[in-house]
Amino acid sequence: MSNTTNVAAPLQHLAIIMDGNGRWAEERGLPRVAGHQQGVRTVVEIVNECVRQQISCLTLFAFSSENWGRPESEVETLMSLLLEFLASQRQRMLDDGVRLRVIGDRARLSATVRSALNVAEEETRDGGCLTLVLALSYGGRDEIVRAARQIARRVASGEIAAEDVDAADMASALDTAGLPDPDLLIRTSGELRISNFLLWQLAYAELYFVDAFWPDFGPVELRQALDDYRQRRRRFGLTAEQTAAGEGLSNSAS
Ligand code: IPE
Ligand code: IPE
Ligand code: MG
């Protein structure tokens, strides 16, 4: 009867909407770029903490499909910071067993950024500790549309029947194919929304919103979020009794 035995499944996949860089800078009378620079430092700290916490997958929302609409100079700054991040963290990722993977519409990224991402993915492919997924030029709706097109092509070619298309086919047509669904989503900066992030994959994620701006979110704040997650009781649509008995603890369609 008691749901105290229903401990949360171990956290395999953490997803983060890194928000509030601009406001962090504005509060200090600094240009937004200073907030993004500080935000990259936070990324480095949080990646290291996830390695320490033995989390196997971390997905960071770094640039959304809607962020393309920001002023050109801000978009350029964000892309240069990404290139700097890849260059400065290369050795550390290799040493720490971090494997980089990118999700999103790469076609919209510049050739320079695309090629740096391809090189980093290739170089880090044997990293076995943490898969670091960067969501870049990423939108959940865009991803679902691209997956639907892929499945439509398979149906049109006669490879599968429309009636046979199931959730696992959909999951494996998404950019996140092969990754477990996120167990926990953190969003910083006090905004209470998903902003088109991982719409399919977050179906049963636990949600955690924190007021700190991303540049102020550090290992201590991350550990608080992980502690909070451990208190959650996940039921996946079942009753407390069923989940206490260990049923239904699956979190993925694939
Ligand atoms: C998050 O911080 C970084 C990106 C979206 C690229 P913001 O730039 O959205 O910062 P705020 O929300 O304006 O404070
Ligand atoms: C979400 O933040 C996207 C990223 C963190 C990359 P935004 O700042 O773009 O989201 P909204 O506009 O507040 O919803
Ligand atoms: Mg924002």
Side-chain angles (χ1 to χ4, degrees):
M1 286 297 283
S2 157
N3 67 3
T4 52
T5 52
N6 175 24
V7 290
L11 193 156
Q12 275 191 286
H13 185 172
L14 170 65
I16 307 184
I17 301 177
M18 312 183 287
D19 198 14
N21 292 349
R23 280 164 286 165
W24 181 91
E26 280 153 25
E27 265 191 356
R28 287 162 177 76
L30 299 169
R32 290 176 61 85
V33 51
H36 294 313
Q37 282 165 340
Q38 196 61 37
V40 176
R41 290 185 198 115
T42 300
V43 169
V44 173
E45 281 189 359
I46 294 301
V47 170
N48 291 338
E49 184 61 20
C50 285
V51 171
R52 275 197 294 273
Q53 298 286 334
Q54 299 184 314
I55 290 171
S56 52
C57 185
L58 170 68
T59 298
L60 298 176
F61 202 3
F63 190 85
S64 75
S65 30
E66 290 72 27
N67 292 153
W68 286 115
R70 292 192 179 193
E72 210 176 301
S73 61
E74 179 159 341
V75 172
E76 276 169 19
T77 297
L78 289 166
M79 294 301 150
S80 328
L81 285 172
L82 169 65
L83 291 172
E84 277 173 36
F85 171 82
L86 294 173
S88 69
Q89 296 307 303
R90 177 183 175 277
Q91 196 55 51
R92 182 141 202 185
M93 288 196 280
L94 292 171
D95 292 346
D96 289 351
V98 175
R99 176 179 190 166
L100 188 84
R101 176 163 167 180
V102 177
I103 58 170
D105 182 4
R106 287 175 194 237
R108 292 183 78 179
L109 297 165
S110 73
T112 311
V113 169
R114 274 204 308 270
S115 117
L117 291 170
N118 289 341
V119 169
E121 282 179 316
E122 190 52 36
E123 283 185 334
T124 60
R125 62 181 300 158
D126 295 328
C129 288
L130 172 73
T131 299
L132 171 61
V133 183
L134 291 184
L136 285 166
S137 187
Y138 175 88
R141 288 182 172 177
D142 173 67
E143 180 191 36
I144 289 170
V145 167
R146 287 186 286 106
R149 282 190 200 132
Q150 189 183 313
I151 291 172
R153 282 193 294 270
R154 291 176 63 203
V155 171
S157 73
E159 189 192 327
I160 44 168
E163 303 68 45
D164 293 336
V165 174
D166 59 15
D169 291 320
M170 194 66 196
S172 55
L174 294 169
D175 295 347
T176 49
L179 298 173
D181 285 342
D183 299 296
L184 175 65
L185 170 75
I186 298 175
R187 183 173 187 148
T188 59
S189 90
E191 305 297 351
L192 307 179
R193 54 178 173 265
I194 300 295
S195 300
N196 202 13
F197 191 39
L198 300 174
L199 295 180
W200 170 279
Q201 299 88 338
L202 290 173
Y204 269 103
E206 295 296 320
L207 308 180
Y208 183 88
F209 298 98
V210 59
D211 285 338
F213 294 137
W214 177 247
D216 289 327
F217 187 85
V220 171
E221 288 74 18
L222 175 61
R223 288 194 292 272
Q224 280 166 0
L226 299 178
D227 286 345
D228 190 277
Y229 170 79
R230 287 186 198 104
Q231 305 305 314
R232 305 283 180 98
R233 297 293 170 254
R234 306 181 76 186
R235 286 191 280 277
F236 302 99
L238 304 184
T239 66
E241 280 91 343
Q242 287 174 301
T243 47
E247 289 177 46
L249 289 177
S250 159
N251 182 31
S252 287
S254 53

